[in-house]
Amino acid sequence: MSSLGLIAGNGRFPFLVLDAARGLGHSLTIVAIKEEADPGLEAAAREAGAALQWVSLGQLGTCIEILRAGGVSQVIMAGQVKHAKIFSGIVPDLTLLSVLMKLKTRTTDALIAAVADLLRQHGVELLDSTAFLKPLLAVSGTMSGRAPSEAEWADLRFGYRIADQIAGLDVGQTIVVKDLAVVAVEAMEGTDEVIARAGRLAGSGTRVIKVAKPNQDMRFDVPVIGPPTIRAMRDVGATTLSVDADKTLMFERGALLDLANHSGIAVVGRAL
């Protein structure tokens, strides 16, 4: 079969996809984004016999050339690329510039969907980013040692409608609520930073709601949580985390839930 492509951003996501693809016998061509990907990915790729090349964030044309040279017909996007970097000094090549100039908005969905369309024009199909990681998806119901209290459930129920609307507008996927009020809404800063900001604004006792978009494209921007999410919550005294079942990746689930239980944090999966 042709080589599978992996466009690697930051976090553990690329390592997990690499291990899973290797275990299933896939050969891999990895395009690692210099500004985002973990330098350790290079050693992991070498050990797995995967080809890896580094590109800067704005080098979309080079990325496509690498994938095509590797005989790639299918590619997975794995790992975060911070949306804010579009506005903070990247130098787009002519290929990316042509994509940006055609966009009506520069939301995450609009940008990555346009990149996916361009990849398809070059014979490369963007796959579901969870294709090899289905066991890591959140399940419905209480996943932690304790269930939310009635007051916590009231805050979650209050927040779901608002979080869904924010996500549907492609603003962000996380909101923080307390006592039936919205404390903070995620935009480009990322989940951990919005949790910290909510703690500064409202103190302890906040609840964190992270949702998928109403029509979540599982090829990109899939919600992800891990132990750092729980540490960020613990540091500000947040008490409850809700994520969407079957739409949210939970990295290091055992460590995440152990940390949540030790910190007294309830973790639930919302059934959609």
Side-chain angles (χ1 to χ4, degrees):
M1 62 178 293
S2 62
S3 175
L4 178 69
L6 173 61
I7 300 175
N10 68 18
R12 300 301 301 169
F13 202 161
F15 291 90
L16 294 170
V17 174
L18 171 60
D19 288 344
R22 180 188 183 190
L24 293 172
H26 291 276
S27 62
L28 270 180
T29 295
I30 302 174
V31 179
I33 298 173
K34 290 179 183 177
E35 296 85 354
E36 296 284 4
D38 188 327
L41 187 61
E42 188 161 358
R46 190 182 309 115
E47 181 181 344
L52 181 145
Q53 294 193 53
W54 294 92
V55 301
S56 289
L57 188 55
Q59 296 177 314
L60 179 57
T62 302
C63 174
I64 292 172
E65 289 173 4
I66 292 169
L67 295 173
R68 295 192 67 189
V72 170
S73 61
Q74 296 179 313
V75 67
I76 289 175
M77 286 186 175
Q80 185 185 39
V81 174
K82 293 183 178 65
H83 191 182
K85 289 192 175 178
I86 297 172
F87 302 97
S88 59
I90 71 163
V91 179
D93 63 11
L94 291 176
T95 304
L96 180 56
L97 190 60
S98 69
V99 170
L100 293 174
M101 290 177 65
K102 293 176 184 176
L103 294 177
K104 294 181 179 179
T105 66
R106 292 192 179 183
T107 62
T108 302
D109 277 359
L111 177 57
I112 305 182
V115 171
D117 288 342
L118 184 62
L119 288 170
R120 187 182 302 110
Q121 292 171 26
H122 287 275
V124 181
E125 192 70 25
L126 188 60
L127 297 181
D128 179 340
S129 62
T130 69
F132 298 109
L133 303 178
K134 299 296 186 185
L136 301 185
L137 290 171
V139 298
S140 65
T142 300
M143 293 178 279
S144 54
R146 78 166 182 90
S149 67
E150 184 49 46
E152 289 168 326
W153 274 121
D155 274 343
L156 296 183
R157 288 191 292 267
F158 162 78
Y160 285 143
R161 177 179 57 84
I162 299 162
D164 288 339
Q165 290 186 21
I166 296 298
L169 292 170
D170 201 12
V171 173
Q173 295 173 306
T174 303
I175 69 167
V176 183
V177 301
K178 179 179 178 179
D179 296 337
L180 305 180
V182 176
V183 177
V185 175
E186 179 190 24
M188 291 188 181
E189 72 271 42
T191 301
D192 292 353
E193 290 190 34
V194 79
I195 292 170
R197 178 159 54 87
R200 292 192 298 270
L201 290 169
S204 62
T206 54
R207 338 297 190 184
V208 179
I209 300 171
K210 190 174 186 72
V211 300
K213 295 167 188 175
N215 296 303
Q216 179 70 50
D217 190 328
M218 297 300 286
R219 297 177 302 170
F220 51 80
D221 206 26
V222 175
V224 174
I225 61 170
T229 315
I230 302 299
R231 285 194 287 271
M233 294 179 62
R234 178 197 61 194
D235 289 348
V236 300
T239 68
T240 314
L241 171 63
S242 174
V243 297
D244 283 353
D246 300 318
K247 298 288 185 181
T248 306
L249 285 166
M250 298 179 65
F251 292 163
E252 300 179 66
R253 183 194 302 258
L256 183 158
L257 293 177
D258 284 347
L259 183 58
N261 291 336
H262 182 74
S263 305
I265 294 171
V267 180
V268 298
R270 177 178 65 151
L272 296 176

